[in-house]
Amino acid sequence: PHEFILLQGIPVPEKGHYGTGLVFLPKDQKRQSEILAVIIEEIEHPSLKRDGANLFYTQIISVTDAMLGCEITVPVLGGVEKVKLEPGTQSGTVIKLRNNGISSVNSYGRGDLYIKVLVWIPRKLSRSERDAIEAIRASKSFTPDLNRDDKALFEKEETIF
């Protein structure tokens, strides 16, 4: 068994990734036989998933936020970013935040952050909530119309199945 010590304050290049090896030589010429070799190990982010240089995040919103639009807070490396969702956001919509991913190891630039929006639909409604939804059910705005702007979204979904 090996003993590992977590060393803080070691400068890791931004493009360093899992498995990258770093070698540090002492500044003192008398200690040249003492070198430090470090292999980078990534710590998984609690809510961002990685695929290469790109990051992926799923945000669940309420049906009313999807209909009316809202602002969501999305975790990014080093903080958070606010993203505005337009009224009528459909479940499955993917938003791309350019250059919010990981630095590419073998090229210039950064990957992107992809945010998948899922709409949560309640399973149970109170009597008054059900009555309110029934009252708007027949409205033309609540009837699917593939001639509207969202036609492209549903055509994209058809290719998946």
Side-chain angles (χ1 to χ4, degrees), residues 134-155:
E134 288 289 349
I136 60 174
R137 176 186 253 175
S139 168
K140 194 169 183 152
S141 297
F142 286 84
T143 304
D145 178 3
L146 296 184
N147 293 321
R148 297 189 319 198
D149 296 337
D150 50 354
K151 181 178 180 180
L153 175 71
F154 292 105
E155 287 176 347

Side-chain angles (χ1 to χ4, degrees), residues 94-109:
V94 176
I95 300 164
K96 178 165 112 173
L97 297 182
R98 297 180 68 72
N99 298 319
N100 272 290
I102 306 291
S103 293
S104 298
V105 176
N106 296 321
S107 64
Y108 295 103

Side-chain angles (χ1 to χ4, degrees), residues 1-12:
H2 300 288
E3 256 186 65
F4 295 96
I5 301 170
L6 179 62
L7 301 171
Q8 295 183 355
I10 293 177
V12 176

